[in-house]
Amino acid sequence: GQNIDQPTEMTATEGAIVQINCTYQTSGFNGLFWYQQHAGEAPTFLSYNVLDGLEEKGRFSSFLSRSKGYSYLLLKELQMKDSASYLCAVREPYNTDKLIFGTGTRLQVFP
Amino acid sequence: GAVVSQHPSWVICKSGTSVKIECRSLDFQATTMFWYRQFPKQSLMLMATSNEGSKATYEQGVEKDKFLINHASLTLSTLTVTSAHPEDSSFYICSVSEAGGMTTYNEQFFGPGTRLTVL
């Protein structure tokens, strides 16, 4: 079956660094996405990894290890507006473009 | 990125009635649209994949006769919740995948969601 796990909740302080982990066990793999979702809003795209290694994009970085079925999202210089849910999603292969979402991590940033 | 709209943004209906939710891709042609359901404090659960001009593909456990999907054009897909019940109350979100893969990662773009409350 498909299994994508994330911590349910995390807290951090403004200006700090936080790492949100995602482990997956899926029948296929064609890339991993991270999305941010504020309460009651649509998810917005943050990052994409398909090869092993680190992808950096401003304050956000994402890492992937395919052999370990593991990814993390690193958020630096946290701001209050970063309080949101962070969703890890694995794309299935065979050109379906279908995404299987993880359980999601609610991040609360405190001043 | 692509702009996706949904209508209505929220709806309240009585138990037993049907509700139609529209998903529109405003600035590109979407051969594929996805419908998700999200319960409070939970992640997105894929309900079905909507393909333009053909029947939708439903995920296991999703009743196709209850959640009717029509993808009549490259810019519009509709989800109709038939004979809605309180347990169908949820946040319904659509997403689009661009035809021809012109986006960098073939990422999905999400609509703003529709909050359905069934009394």
Side-chain angles (χ1 to χ4, degrees), chain A residues 1-4 24-30 90-93 100:
Chain A
Q2 316 282 46
N3 202 29
I4 303 175
Y24 64 90
Q25 290 176 307
T26 56
S27 54
F29 180 86
N30 186 25
V90 171
R91 179 163 60 192
E92 288 194 342
I100 306 300

Side-chain angles (χ1 to χ4, degrees), chain B residues 22-47:
Chain B
E22 292 185 350
C23 176
R24 291 184 185 273
S25 173
L26 299 182
D27 57 355
F28 73 71
Q29 296 179 331
T31 54
T32 304
M33 292 185 176
F34 301 90
W35 285 97
Y36 296 85
R37 181 166 50 182
Q38 186 175 35
F39 293 107
K41 297 189 177 182
Q42 294 187 23
S43 191
L44 277 69
M45 295 297 295
L46 180 65
M47 298 175 67

Side-chain angles (χ1 to χ4, degrees), chain B residues 52-64:
Chain B
E52 189 264 338
S54 63
K55 291 183 179 180
T57 304
Y58 290 82
E59 294 300 300
Q60 192 173 6
V62 178
E63 300 174 57
K64 62 180 181 181

Side-chain angles (χ1 to χ4, degrees), chain A residues 21-89:
Chain A
N21 296 324
C22 170
T23 57
Y24 64 90
Q25 290 176 307
T26 56
S27 54
F29 180 86
N30 186 25
L32 186 145
F33 292 85
W34 283 94
Y35 282 87
Q36 180 192 60
Q37 185 182 27
H38 286 97
E41 298 181 10
T44 54
F45 169 75
L46 287 179
S47 70
Y48 172 72
N49 296 71
V50 66
L51 300 177
D52 291 352
L54 187 68
E55 293 285 340
E56 297 188 77
K57 226 176 164 186
R59 292 190 300 117
F60 293 4
S61 303
S62 57
F63 172 83
L64 175 67
S65 169
R66 289 170 296 171
S67 62
K68 295 181 179 178
Y70 168 69
S71 173
Y72 68 71
L73 180 69
L74 193 70
L75 292 76
K76 303 176 186 176
E77 301 168 15
L78 280 173
Q79 302 174 9
M80 297 297 290
K81 67 178 182 180
D82 296 329
S83 293
S85 287
Y86 291 85
L87 310 176
C88 163

Side-chain angles (χ1 to χ4, degrees), chain B:
Chain B
V3 179
V4 182
S5 71
Q6 281 185 240
H7 178 79
S9 55
W10 60 269
V11 57
I12 301 173
C13 69
K14 292 182 179 180
S15 185
T17 60
S18 295
V19 174
K20 180 185 283 189
I21 302 170
E22 292 185 350
C23 176
R24 291 184 185 273
S25 173
L26 299 182
D27 57 355
F28 73 71
Q29 296 179 331
T31 54
T32 304
M33 292 185 176
F34 301 90
W35 285 97
Y36 296 85
R37 181 166 50 182
Q38 186 175 35
F39 293 107
K41 297 189 177 182
Q42 294 187 23
S43 191
L44 277 69
M45 295 297 295
L46 180 65
M47 298 175 67
T49 302
S50 169
N51 300 295
E52 189 264 338
S54 63
K55 291 183 179 180
T57 304
Y58 290 82
E59 294 300 300
Q60 192 173 6
V62 178
E63 300 174 57
K64 62 180 181 181
D65 294 329
K66 180 169 180 62
F67 298 99
L68 301 178
I69 292 173
N70 184 281
H71 192 160
S73 75
L74 288 173
T75 59
L76 174 64
S77 176
T78 60
L79 169 68
T80 301
V81 183
T82 63
S83 187
H85 291 283
E87 57 265 31
D88 298 323
S89 298
S90 188
F91 194 51
Y92 291 86
I93 305 178
C94 71
S95 71
V96 304
S97 181
E98 187 180 18
M102 297 302 290
T103 53
T104 304
Y105 307 116
N106 273 7
E107 67 266 35
Q108 292 181 20
F109 298 96
F110 289 84
T114 297
R115 174 80 55 196
L116 170 64
T117 302
V118 184
L119 302 177

